Amino acid sequence: MNNDVLTEILLHLPVQSLLRFRAVCRSSADVIDSSYFRELHTHNNRSDDTVCLEVSLSNDGILVQHNTKSLISSNSEGLGLTSCESYSRVLLYGSVKGLISISLGRHFCSQLSVPIVICNPFLGELKLLPLITTPSCTLSLQSVAIGFDRDYKVVQLSLCKMHNCLHAYVYSRSTDSWRELAFDNDLSLVSPIKSRCENGHFAHWKMSRMVGRDITLKILSLDMNNEVFKTIMLSEDEFDYFDSPIFAKDEHLFWRFDFPHSQPHKLVRIYESRCEGSELSWNYMTSVEVPCSGFGIIPRWRTSFVVIEHEQRAVAFVYDYRAHKFVCKLPMGSLIAYKGSFVSL
């Protein structure tokens, strides 16, 4: 078979299948292992296959599994962890171009002595990022985002306890170091906004700002290509839905999930807003019944799901955005929808 035809066929396959397909014949392995094909597949992945990965933390370190099969199993000594028990759970960010960013603790860590971990599960690669050193500041409370330009980037928002303000840092793979970004540090971090944007060009956070006695809520958006922040004003009625999870369906389209406050009422109202300019206004889409019974599992055939975390209930709800229904609820922070890539660390 002509190599051009073979390449075109292989571009439609997910990474997990390609890694198995390498064993079929020498010509297939040569194409798949070539830097040209892997770069082409990374930037033009035509597969729609998404799988569910489970990431857990134990005394042995970080474990990444797919259908109970171990993809990455690190040890606490190699990660520089002295006591895994002191961290309540792993926090997952991504996946972007097949990469997952992992930090340990709650949404806010009490200190930054534990490194951020980047991994590519299907390639079995894991990397610890260097710690941020700031002689003039005492940093704590981190929130992480992973993005992609010509290569992967990691952004960290941290609170300086000494000056009571936020700082933003971006990690560069070429220098293997962090540098500070220009940032409106009068904002206070509320929570990161998870995303289904697999190209990773934007990262978002829900923020607040205090002016006198008035509080305004905003979305902080980072353009990963240009490394420029912008703020998007949320509507005034957002205070009534302060705890509602916001999810980025794509780079400029947001969903808001208003979960019921009373248990007998089981419908979640879902709103949508497309960002045009510097303000968001929400449009009602639909109401969906939420599963209130015990924890379940995601059926293996599902590929169109997102994991919506509900901090107040300390659980995560799995939403099938094609079927417009919730599939199940799960322990928070342990699962991530994942689409592989050949991006190496």
Side-chain angles (χ1 to χ4, degrees):
M1 182 183 294
N2 182 291
N3 267 8
D4 291 340
V5 176
L6 179 60
T7 298
E8 183 65 26
I9 294 172
L10 295 178
L11 283 175
H12 290 269
L13 298 179
V15 171
Q16 195 175 26
S17 298
L18 289 171
L19 293 175
R20 294 195 299 265
F21 200 64
R22 292 172 68 255
V24 172
C25 64
R26 180 66 180 270
S27 60
S28 298
D30 289 343
V31 171
I32 295 169
D33 289 339
S34 69
S35 58
Y36 168 76
F37 175 82
R38 294 198 169 196
E39 183 176 354
L40 192 62
H41 192 277
T42 297
H43 293 280
N44 192 26
N45 188 348
R46 299 170 192 174
S47 165
D48 194 33
D49 281 11
T50 303
V51 300
C52 181
L53 300 187
E54 181 176 5
V55 183
S56 57
L57 181 68
S58 69
N59 292 333
D60 297 326
I62 292 176
L63 177 65
V64 183
Q65 294 177 292
H66 171 49
N67 290 341
T68 71
K69 177 184 177 182
S70 176
L71 301 177
I72 291 178
S73 181
S74 66
N75 58 66
S76 56
E77 181 180 352
L79 291 174
L81 307 179
T82 56
S83 175
C84 289
E85 307 88 52
S86 61
Y87 304 98
S88 59
R89 62 187 177 93
V90 294
L91 297 172
L92 307 177
Y93 306 90
S95 116
V96 170
K97 295 293 184 182
L99 302 181
I100 300 172
S101 177
I102 303 171
S103 65
L104 307 179
R106 300 176 177 85
H107 263 317
F108 294 113
C109 299
S110 59
Q111 41 77 40
L112 298 183
S113 61
V114 178
I116 296 168
V117 179
I118 305 296
C119 70
N120 186 327
F122 283 172
L123 297 187
E125 297 181 352
L126 183 145
K127 179 178 181 178
L128 278 68
L129 301 190
L131 295 173
I132 296 175
T133 55
T134 54
S136 61
C137 294
T138 303
L139 297 181
S140 65
L141 310 184
Q142 71 179 11
S143 179
V144 179
I146 185 168
F148 202 89
D149 185 3
R150 287 173 291 276
D151 206 340
Y152 69 88
K153 297 180 178 181
V154 180
V155 175
Q156 176 176 293
L157 300 186
S158 303
L159 174 67
C160 173
K161 295 190 290 186
M162 187 178 299
H163 304 105
N164 195 30
C165 63
L166 284 172
H167 294 273
Y169 298 89
V170 61
Y171 169 81
S172 170
R173 182 186 185 187
S174 60
T175 62
D176 192 32
S177 62
W178 298 86
R179 58 187 173 81
E180 190 164 4
L181 298 178
F183 180 64
D184 181 358
N185 55 19
D186 288 337
L187 293 169
S188 297
L189 183 62
V190 176
S191 62
I193 294 175
K194 293 203 170 182
S195 172
R196 194 174 64 90
C197 312
E198 295 171 351
N199 58 27
H201 294 334
F202 287 84
H204 309 283
W205 296 264
K206 190 196 290 187
M207 316 288 289
S208 66
R209 166 180 272 164
M210 175 77 75
V211 180
R213 294 186 176 182
D214 297 327
I215 300 177
T216 57
L217 293 178
K218 300 183 177 184
I219 289 177
L220 181 70
S221 179
L222 173 61
D223 181 339
M224 288 286 187
N225 292 330
N226 300 310
E227 298 181 0
V228 174
F229 287 97
K230 79 168 184 176
T231 54
I232 305 167
M233 182 73 71
L234 292 173
S235 57
E236 293 182 0
D237 66 347
E238 190 71 20
F239 289 101
D240 297 331
Y241 311 99
F242 185 80
D243 297 328
S244 295
I246 295 178
F247 185 85
K249 183 182 177 183
D250 61 31
E251 294 170 349
H252 307 288
L253 185 65
F254 298 90
W255 286 336
R256 191 185 77 202
F257 293 79
D258 292 349
F259 283 83
H261 295 289
S262 58
Q263 194 69 9
H265 181 57
K266 298 180 181 179
L267 291 181
V268 177
R269 294 174 63 85
I270 302 176
Y271 294 81
E272 182 179 81
S273 183
R274 178 164 291 280
C275 178
E276 296 180 359
S278 59
E279 291 191 19
L280 282 185
S281 59
W282 298 102
N283 301 310
Y284 171 74
M285 290 174 53
T286 186
S287 293
V288 181
E289 186 173 359
V290 61
C292 295
S293 57
F295 294 121
I297 59 173
I298 302 175
R300 295 184 182 182
W301 54 266
R302 289 190 182 274
T303 61
S304 56
F305 65 90
V306 295
V307 180
I308 307 295
E309 294 187 343
H310 197 292
E311 285 286 338
Q312 283 65 40
R313 298 187 183 184
V315 294
F317 296 91
V318 179
Y319 181 66
D320 187 324
Y321 53 84
R322 289 182 182 163
H324 305 292
K325 67 178 183 179
F326 285 97
V327 179
C328 62
K329 69 176 182 178
L330 304 162
M332 191 166 68
S334 59
L335 298 178
I336 188 168
Y338 179 76
K339 184 176 179 180
S341 84
F342 286 112
V343 176
S344 180
L345 303 179

